[in-house]
Amino acid sequence: MAGNKLINNRDPDFSDDSASSGGDEAEWLDVEPEEDEPLAIVSLLDDSVFPDVMSMLTHCKEKHGFDFLALRQRLGLDFYGTVKLVNFIRQQIHDGRPLPETITLETIADDRYLKPVVDDDALILSLDELDLDDSDQEAVPPVADDVSREDLAALNARLAEELAAVNSQFADYRLAVEETLERRWGDDKRDATTESDEAKDESQYYWESYAANEIHETMLKDTVRTDAYRDFIYENKALFKDKIVMDIGCGTGILSMFCARAGAKAVFAVDKSDVIEKARANVYQNGLSDTITCIKGRIEDIDLPVPQVDIIVSEWMGYCLLYEAMLPSVLYARDKYLKPDGLLVPSFATIWAAPVSDPEYITDHVSFWDDVYGFDMKAMKTGIYEEARVEDLPPSTICGQPSQISHLDLHSVKPEELNFRSDWQSEVTQQVESIDGFLIWFDIFFTRSRQETIPWGTSVDPSSPDSKIPSAVAFTTSPRGPVTHWKQGLLLVDPSKGILTAEKGTRVSGEIIFEAPEENPRALGISMSWTTKDSERRQTWKLQ
């Protein structure tokens, strides 16, 4: 995955704002149904759609052997009990779990089943089509031939009261559902103070940014990325055959479908973003619903219907590898679900840093502000040396030997080790006027087993004669490789504290720190110190 709120000056055609908002805006247009449009009743047990409740229930009984009305009658459910039963069934099917052999009142006792699983569930909105006045009320005795007029009047009054109570219950619940729908369509006018007091997911913006099509189109068209996963999975079908696989952050479902086509017995595709609904449709359209189960939610908040999985596949990488902080979720799933000999796909990641000199870039994007059509706009340079940039620099801009700063064995690395500090050193390899900044990139390795390791210093640099990859599949985001949507992270050196000069052969060394800020764990802070024979400096940049 990749972030979508970063400076990206060399790719004007890709707008991150459009990825995070434009697509959503388009999707919300013309969604409100016409007033007289009939509701479509989605089956409780599959994706079939029906014009009324009874035809749907008949379908469930004839095709799946599930008699909803008989179960409701056996449990003696009133209106709210019926709502709980509907939502319990919806939740089980949504989570990919089979219904219990015996459903009891205790099974649906939790009040959380009063909350609709499907916000606009036409079945719940149409429960008035069912005869709900014979639920858990005291059974009405048959009327004897010699019943008195007074007794008959009392019986009629009681039935009228019970019917009124059921209608009132339904009206209250319909109102609650309508309020939920209003909030969904953005029509809720609740007091701002009340809303600000509600607990919010601090990462909600992150999930929302992945609901639009543009960002997924960008990632899918990154052939370096997508081909690597496809090639590893398809070239190692023996690893996937009859295995249980989990895909974390499944997005459109592409990796899950690769695994299913490779012979996986079951694939659980998990994503918190609303894109999961499109993934579910993609899976269905490609005839893979029997193998792939799509589950919406954070991996930390859901329970899989299986205790363990054989393989975890995930495309969790962000800019500079660790931006977006998705890897901790993968490690959480690894520790909770992956079998002791299970495989993580990919298995290893390394991070590299190198000094760069690019006078043309500085002229185009920094000095540019000194004179804009004859106007001094130096004010626009405020903060320009504090934020990391995402760029694809030419290989010729690298003016020193790359230095490896991190080596992650994903089968054993701990979440706390993702905030790290590392020594680095480089030797300037060409004569340059100044070192303008430092470039960060990463390499990714796919291995066939835990026994296959990637030693420290292994590079995927296609131009290096020492590049020997003991791995089935690997790729790099280095400028010396094909461009990827991750590009590289560019850390510009602030010249106000002195020009960083270095002759060919000069050794530059220091320390680099990667750390996610507490106030925004999805962001990334990078600090670097460096020493040459002439100077000693430290600078900090932000990815946010």
Side-chain angles (χ1 to χ4, degrees):
M1 291 194 164
N4 64 339
K5 293 192 177 181
L6 299 181
I7 302 171
N8 194 346
N9 292 312
R10 290 205 171 182
D11 193 359
D13 294 332
F14 176 71
S15 168
D16 290 316
D17 290 337
S18 68
S20 61
S21 61
D24 289 342
E25 195 173 58
E27 288 180 14
W28 292 119
L29 295 178
D30 301 327
V31 293
E32 186 171 348
E34 297 181 3
E35 184 175 349
D36 297 330
E37 184 178 349
L39 293 174
I41 311 295
V42 179
S43 170
L44 283 168
L45 302 177
D46 54 40
D47 294 329
S48 303
V49 178
F50 301 87
D52 58 78
V53 175
M54 291 309 300
S55 58
M56 184 276 291
L57 295 181
T58 300
H59 166 78
C60 290
K61 183 177 180 179
E62 293 178 352
K63 182 173 181 179
H64 301 282
F66 179 76
D67 192 335
F68 179 87
L69 293 178
L71 174 60
R72 185 186 66 82
Q73 185 174 16
R74 175 174 64 81
L75 297 178
L77 300 179
D78 61 2
F79 176 82
Y80 286 107
T82 305
V83 168
K84 284 186 173 183
L85 178 59
V86 169
N87 287 325
F88 168 76
I89 296 170
R90 294 279 197 219
Q91 191 66 58
Q92 292 292 109
I93 300 303
H94 178 274
D95 292 344
R97 303 177 182 179
L99 294 180
E101 291 186 8
T102 302
I103 297 177
T104 66
L105 289 176
E106 291 184 358
T107 306
I108 60 173
D110 197 321
D111 284 344
R112 68 190 175 96
Y113 294 124
L114 286 172
K115 180 180 179 181
V117 174
V118 179
D119 288 341
D120 51 355
D121 194 340
L123 172 57
I124 292 177
L125 294 175
S126 303
L127 283 180
D128 53 352
E129 295 182 21
L130 299 179
D131 178 16
L132 295 174
D133 61 349
D134 65 341
S135 50
D136 67 345
Q137 306 294 333
E138 182 179 334
V140 179
V143 180
D145 293 338
D146 58 349
V147 66
S148 67
R149 181 172 299 178
E150 292 78 8
D151 290 340
L152 185 58
L155 177 60
N156 288 336
R158 174 183 163 190
L159 291 175
E161 290 176 0
E162 292 175 358
L163 181 58
V166 169
N167 288 336
S168 176
Q169 289 175 336
F170 179 78
D172 291 343
Y173 192 80
R174 180 185 287 272
L175 178 61
V177 172
E178 288 173 350
E179 289 175 349
T180 299
L181 295 178
E182 286 175 358
R183 288 194 293 273
R184 180 179 179 184
W185 305 127
D187 295 331
D188 189 10
K189 305 300 183 184
R190 292 175 296 174
D191 180 75
T193 303
T194 302
E195 184 168 342
S196 65
D197 292 337
E198 295 179 355
K200 294 183 177 179
D201 183 351
E202 60 187 1
S203 296
Q204 188 61 33
Y205 74 92
Y206 169 69
W207 308 117
E208 291 172 354
S209 72
Y210 278 96
N213 283 2
E214 288 87 346
I215 194 168
H216 295 284
E217 180 179 350
T218 297
M219 292 189 291
L220 288 171
K221 288 180 176 178
D222 182 346
T223 56
V224 173
R225 161 200 181 268
T226 310
D227 285 1
Y229 281 88
R230 181 202 60 188
D231 292 349
F232 179 79
I233 293 169
Y234 283 179
E235 291 172 8
N236 294 278
K237 290 184 178 180
L239 292 177
F240 289 85
K241 183 173 176 55
D242 297 327
K243 294 296 193 301
I244 298 176
V245 180
M246 175 163 50
D247 177 4
I248 302 175
C250 67
T252 59
I254 184 67
L255 303 187
S256 294
M257 292 190 284
F258 285 160
C259 294
R261 287 278 172 85
K265 178 171 64 176
V267 181
F268 297 100
V270 181
D271 205 304
K272 169 69 171 175
S273 168
D274 287 343
V275 74
I276 191 72
E277 303 302 335
K278 296 178 181 178
R280 185 176 287 112
N282 293 337
V283 168
Y284 176 78
Q285 290 295 330
N286 287 279
L288 298 172
S289 297
D290 290 342
T291 302
I292 303 173
T293 301
C294 295
I295 303 173
K296 183 176 183 180
R298 294 172 66 246
I299 189 62
E300 295 87 348
D301 297 334
I302 66 171
D303 290 317
L304 289 187
V306 294
Q308 290 184 313
V309 299
D310 301 291
I311 299 172
I312 292 177
V313 61
S314 179
E315 196 276 80
W316 51 265
M317 297 79 80
Y319 298 129
C320 295
L321 187 67
L322 298 179
Y323 175 74
E324 290 187 341
M326 184 178 165
L327 181 53
S329 295
V330 176
L331 302 185
Y332 172 90
R334 174 199 69 186
D335 296 340
K336 182 174 181 179
Y337 291 110
L338 189 61
K339 291 181 178 179
D341 60 345
L343 185 65
L344 273 169
V345 178
S347 305
F348 287 84
T350 59
I351 308 177
W352 297 79
V356 291
S357 179
D358 192 348
E360 181 181 349
Y361 182 90
I362 298 300
T363 298
D364 290 345
H365 301 294
V366 181
S367 304
F368 164 80
W369 297 109
D370 295 341
D371 183 356
V372 182
Y373 288 91
F375 296 97
D376 184 337
M377 292 191 179
K378 291 187 182 70
M380 303 302 296
K381 293 164 69 173
T382 302
I384 203 168
Y385 297 108
E386 298 175 2
E387 294 191 9
R389 295 173 165 240
V390 174
E391 301 288 1
D392 177 39
L393 295 190
S396 60
T397 62
I398 298 178
C399 61
Q401 292 175 338
S403 178
Q404 184 174 345
I405 60 174
S406 180
H407 181 274
L408 303 179
D409 179 346
L410 301 177
H411 290 114
S412 60
V413 67
K414 298 177 181 178
E416 57 267 24
E417 295 172 346
L418 302 182
N419 289 330
F420 69 88
R421 60 180 61 217
S422 174
D423 294 333
W424 69 275
Q425 63 179 6
S426 177
E427 180 177 324
V428 177
T429 55
Q430 56 182 286
Q431 195 71 29
V432 295
E433 293 182 6
S434 64
I435 295 177
D436 297 316
F438 299 94
L439 208 60
I440 307 293
W441 67 84
F442 59 86
D443 293 347
I444 296 297
F445 302 85
F446 298 76
T447 63
R448 301 181 183 92
S449 72
R450 291 184 180 231
Q451 289 70 44
E452 185 179 355
T453 61
I454 303 298
W456 180 281
T458 303
S459 171
V460 194
D461 184 347
S463 67
S464 172
D466 299 325
S467 179
K468 298 178 180 179
I469 308 170
S471 171
V473 175
F475 68 84
T476 182
T477 63
S478 162
R480 290 174 174 149
V483 64
T484 71
H485 77 284
W486 290 289
K487 303 179 182 180
Q488 302 94 41
L490 175 60
L491 314 176
L492 291 178
V493 171
D494 186 353
S496 67
K497 300 177 182 179
I499 302 296
L500 180 55
T501 60
E503 298 178 350
K504 183 177 180 180
T506 300
R507 296 187 67 81
V508 186
S509 62
E511 181 185 57
I512 189 167
I513 300 172
F514 273 47
E515 188 171 24
E518 291 184 3
E519 68 275 10
N520 184 6
R522 295 276 175 197
L524 180 63
I526 303 176
S527 297
M528 179 179 282
S529 66
W530 61 88
T531 302
T532 67
K533 62 181 181 179
D534 300 321
S535 64
E536 183 174 345
R537 294 269 298 278
R538 175 175 288 276
Q539 191 173 331
T540 298
W541 300 264
K542 298 176 294 184
L543 281 175
Q544 57 183 9

